[in-house]
Tab-separated table of all heavy atoms in Angstrom:
chain	number	residue	atom	x	y	z
N	19	MET	N	77.436	56.832	131.222
N	19	MET	CA	76.018	57.149	131.008
N	19	MET	C	75.213	55.859	130.974
N	19	MET	O	74.274	55.669	131.712
N	19	MET	CB	75.935	57.902	129.701
N	19	MET	CG	74.544	58.128	129.203
N	19	MET	SD	74.668	59.188	127.737
N	19	MET	CE	75.977	58.410	126.818
N	20	SER	N	75.703	54.949	130.088
N	20	SER	CA	74.991	53.678	129.988
N	20	SER	C	75.204	52.860	131.252
N	20	SER	O	74.371	52.074	131.638
N	20	SER	CB	75.521	52.894	128.801
N	20	SER	OG	76.763	52.326	129.106
N	21	ARG	N	76.357	53.094	131.844
N	21	ARG	CA	76.665	52.320	133.037
N	21	ARG	C	75.740	52.725	134.180
N	21	ARG	O	75.289	51.910	134.959
N	21	ARG	CB	78.130	52.548	133.399
N	21	ARG	CG	78.777	51.309	133.914
N	21	ARG	CD	80.237	51.246	133.550
N	21	ARG	NE	80.421	50.905	132.163
N	21	ARG	CZ	81.059	51.675	131.307
N	21	ARG	NH1	81.544	52.828	131.680
N	21	ARG	NH2	81.205	51.290	130.073
N	22	LYS	N	75.485	54.031	134.221
N	22	LYS	CA	74.586	54.504	135.249
N	22	LYS	C	73.207	53.867	135.064
N	22	LYS	O	72.565	53.430	136.001
N	22	LYS	CB	74.481	56.034	135.191
N	22	LYS	CG	74.610	56.681	136.575
N	22	LYS	CD	74.595	58.185	136.455
N	22	LYS	CE	75.974	58.791	136.321
N	22	LYS	NZ	75.930	60.209	135.960
N	23	ARG	N	72.817	53.810	133.784
N	23	ARG	CA	71.515	53.255	133.503
N	23	ARG	C	71.482	51.779	133.899
N	23	ARG	O	70.548	51.307	134.520
N	23	ARG	CB	71.199	53.407	132.016
N	23	ARG	CG	69.731	53.667	131.788
N	23	ARG	CD	69.486	54.077	130.365
N	23	ARG	NE	69.763	53.007	129.451
N	23	ARG	CZ	70.118	53.192	128.178
N	23	ARG	NH1	70.262	54.392	127.707
N	23	ARG	NH2	70.336	52.169	127.410
N	24	LEU	N	72.555	51.118	133.546
N	24	LEU	CA	72.675	49.700	133.865
N	24	LEU	C	72.488	49.478	135.355
N	24	LEU	O	71.748	48.611	135.795
N	24	LEU	CB	74.060	49.222	133.434
N	24	LEU	CG	74.362	47.758	133.703
N	24	LEU	CD1	73.579	46.916	132.702
N	24	LEU	CD2	75.839	47.487	133.548
N	25	LEU	N	73.176	50.328	136.106
N	25	LEU	CA	73.142	50.199	137.547
N	25	LEU	C	71.724	50.380	138.085
N	25	LEU	O	71.257	49.640	138.943
N	25	LEU	CB	74.079	51.241	138.158
N	25	LEU	CG	74.878	50.743	139.353
N	25	LEU	CD1	75.913	49.741	138.891
N	25	LEU	CD2	75.532	51.907	140.054
N	26	SER	N	71.044	51.404	137.538
N	26	SER	CA	69.717	51.681	138.080
N	26	SER	C	68.738	50.574	137.692
N	26	SER	O	67.900	50.163	138.500
N	26	SER	CB	69.220	53.046	137.599
N	26	SER	OG	69.138	53.048	136.203
N	27	ILE	N	68.903	50.061	136.461
N	27	ILE	CA	68.032	48.953	136.055
N	27	ILE	C	68.243	47.775	136.997
N	27	ILE	O	67.308	47.193	137.539
N	27	ILE	CB	68.358	48.508	134.614
N	27	ILE	CG1	67.972	49.607	133.628
N	27	ILE	CG2	67.638	47.205	134.266
N	27	ILE	CD1	68.416	49.335	132.226
N	28	THR	N	69.522	47.483	137.233
N	28	THR	CA	69.858	46.359	138.091
N	28	THR	C	69.251	46.525	139.470
N	28	THR	O	68.624	45.625	140.016
N	28	THR	CB	71.386	46.250	138.222
N	28	THR	OG1	71.933	46.320	136.910
N	28	THR	CG2	71.791	44.976	138.889
N	29	ALA	N	69.429	47.724	140.025
N	29	ALA	CA	68.957	47.965	141.378
N	29	ALA	C	67.439	47.809	141.471
N	29	ALA	O	66.926	47.164	142.382
N	29	ALA	CB	69.373	49.366	141.826
N	30	SER	N	66.741	48.351	140.470
N	30	SER	CA	65.286	48.293	140.570
N	30	SER	C	64.792	46.861	140.375
N	30	SER	O	63.872	46.415	141.063
N	30	SER	CB	64.641	49.240	139.551
N	30	SER	OG	65.227	49.077	138.296
N	31	LEU	N	65.457	46.128	139.470
N	31	LEU	CA	65.095	44.720	139.291
N	31	LEU	C	65.249	43.962	140.601
N	31	LEU	O	64.389	43.207	141.025
N	31	LEU	CB	66.008	44.087	138.247
N	31	LEU	CG	65.465	44.044	136.826
N	31	LEU	CD1	66.522	43.516	135.882
N	31	LEU	CD2	64.243	43.139	136.791
N	32	LEU	N	66.396	44.224	141.232
N	32	LEU	CA	66.721	43.543	142.472
N	32	LEU	C	65.643	43.805	143.521
N	32	LEU	O	65.119	42.891	144.153
N	32	LEU	CB	68.057	44.087	142.975
N	32	LEU	CG	68.889	43.117	143.779
N	32	LEU	CD1	69.999	42.604	142.897
N	32	LEU	CD2	69.460	43.800	144.983
H	116	LEU	N	70.833	37.509	138.136
H	116	LEU	CA	71.194	38.910	138.275
H	116	LEU	C	72.630	39.065	138.753
H	116	LEU	O	73.383	39.904	138.252
H	116	LEU	CB	70.243	39.546	139.292
H	116	LEU	CG	69.922	40.996	139.067
H	116	LEU	CD1	69.213	41.157	137.740
H	116	LEU	CD2	69.067	41.523	140.201
H	120	LEU	N	75.778	40.978	137.034
H	120	LEU	CA	76.651	41.942	137.711
H	120	LEU	C	78.117	41.562	137.538
H	120	LEU	O	78.960	42.405	137.257
H	120	LEU	CB	76.313	41.993	139.201
H	120	LEU	CG	75.212	42.974	139.593
H	120	LEU	CD1	74.923	42.872	141.079
H	120	LEU	CD2	75.648	44.387	139.242
H	123	ALA	N	79.132	42.438	134.273
H	123	ALA	CA	79.295	43.883	134.136
H	123	ALA	C	80.665	44.320	134.651
H	123	ALA	O	81.271	45.243	134.110
H	123	ALA	CB	78.185	44.610	134.884
H	127	LEU	N	83.176	46.414	132.507
H	127	LEU	CA	83.696	47.697	132.965
H	127	LEU	C	85.216	47.737	132.810
H	127	LEU	O	85.772	48.699	132.281
H	127	LEU	CB	83.310	47.911	134.427
H	127	LEU	CG	83.771	49.246	135.013
H	127	LEU	CD1	82.928	50.367	134.442
H	127	LEU	CD2	83.676	49.238	136.530
H	223	ALA	N	78.492	52.120	118.806
H	223	ALA	CA	79.130	52.323	120.103
H	223	ALA	C	79.747	50.994	120.528
H	223	ALA	O	79.146	50.217	121.260
H	223	ALA	CB	78.112	52.803	121.122
H	226	ARG	N	80.075	50.124	124.320
H	226	ARG	CA	78.817	49.829	124.999
H	226	ARG	C	78.307	48.451	124.587
H	226	ARG	O	77.847	47.666	125.407
H	226	ARG	CB	77.794	50.901	124.664
H	226	ARG	CG	76.748	51.012	125.726
H	226	ARG	CD	75.594	51.887	125.315
H	226	ARG	NE	76.008	53.140	124.708
H	226	ARG	CZ	75.147	53.939	124.056
H	226	ARG	NH1	73.895	53.587	123.940
H	226	ARG	NH2	75.570	55.066	123.528
H	227	LEU	N	78.425	48.166	123.291
H	227	LEU	CA	77.982	46.865	122.780
H	227	LEU	C	78.708	45.730	123.500
H	227	LEU	O	78.089	44.792	124.013
H	227	LEU	CB	78.262	46.796	121.277
H	227	LEU	CG	77.958	45.472	120.593
H	227	LEU	CD1	76.461	45.288	120.480
H	227	LEU	CD2	78.602	45.416	119.217
H	229	CYS	N	80.272	45.825	126.336
H	229	CYS	CA	79.927	45.824	127.758
H	229	CYS	C	78.634	45.022	127.977
H	229	CYS	O	78.566	44.171	128.861
H	229	CYS	CB	79.778	47.247	128.253
H	229	CYS	SG	79.734	47.365	130.042
H	230	TRP	N	77.639	45.269	127.135
H	230	TRP	CA	76.378	44.546	127.282
H	230	TRP	C	76.546	43.064	127.001
H	230	TRP	O	75.889	42.216	127.623
H	230	TRP	CB	75.308	45.132	126.359
H	230	TRP	CG	74.661	46.341	126.955
H	230	TRP	CD1	74.802	47.629	126.539
H	230	TRP	CD2	73.790	46.384	128.096
H	230	TRP	NE1	74.085	48.468	127.346
H	230	TRP	CE2	73.444	47.739	128.304
H	230	TRP	CE3	73.281	45.408	128.959
H	230	TRP	CZ2	72.608	48.142	129.328
H	230	TRP	CZ3	72.459	45.820	129.987
H	230	TRP	CH2	72.129	47.168	130.168
H	233	VAL	N	77.705	41.557	130.068
H	233	VAL	CA	76.590	41.433	131.015
H	233	VAL	C	75.755	40.202	130.642
H	233	VAL	O	75.408	39.383	131.498
H	233	VAL	CB	75.720	42.706	130.997
H	233	VAL	CG1	74.464	42.490	131.820
H	233	VAL	CG2	76.515	43.894	131.525
Z	412	ASN	N	80.153	61.720	120.130
Z	412	ASN	CA	78.974	60.900	119.867
Z	412	ASN	C	78.635	60.899	118.379
Z	412	ASN	O	77.849	61.714	117.901
Z	412	ASN	CB	77.795	61.434	120.683
Z	412	ASN	CG	76.582	60.519	120.603
Z	412	ASN	OD1	76.514	59.651	119.721
Z	412	ASN	ND2	75.641	60.702	121.495
Z	414	ARG	N	76.822	58.999	116.684
Z	414	ARG	CA	75.419	58.732	116.361
Z	414	ARG	C	74.618	60.023	116.327
Z	414	ARG	O	73.749	60.212	115.469
Z	414	ARG	CB	74.816	57.768	117.372
Z	414	ARG	CG	75.307	56.356	117.190
Z	414	ARG	CD	75.362	55.643	118.520
Z	414	ARG	NE	74.076	55.095	118.911
Z	414	ARG	CZ	73.696	53.860	118.620
Z	414	ARG	NH1	74.470	53.086	117.892
Z	414	ARG	NH2	72.557	53.389	119.047
Z	418	ARG	N	72.623	61.550	113.188
Z	418	ARG	CA	71.224	61.969	113.244
Z	418	ARG	C	71.067	63.397	112.746
Z	418	ARG	O	70.075	63.745	112.124
Z	418	ARG	CB	70.693	61.855	114.679
Z	418	ARG	CG	70.098	60.498	114.994
Z	418	ARG	CD	69.247	60.577	116.257
Z	418	ARG	NE	70.027	61.012	117.422
Z	418	ARG	CZ	70.743	60.183	118.174
Z	418	ARG	NH1	70.783	58.897	117.889
Z	418	ARG	NH2	71.417	60.631	119.206
Side-chain angles (χ1 to χ4, degrees):
Chain N
M19 171 174 47
S20 76
R21 217 148 285 121
K22 226 176 268 169
R23 215 169 66 206
L24 180 73
L25 219 70
S26 61
I27 292 172
T28 311
S30 47
L31 264 175
L32 210 103
Chain H
L116 212 62
L120 272 177
L127 181 73
R226 205 190 314 167
L227 176 73
C229 193
W230 278 110
V233 172
Chain Z
N412 188 344
R414 287 148 83 92
R418 271 196 300 275

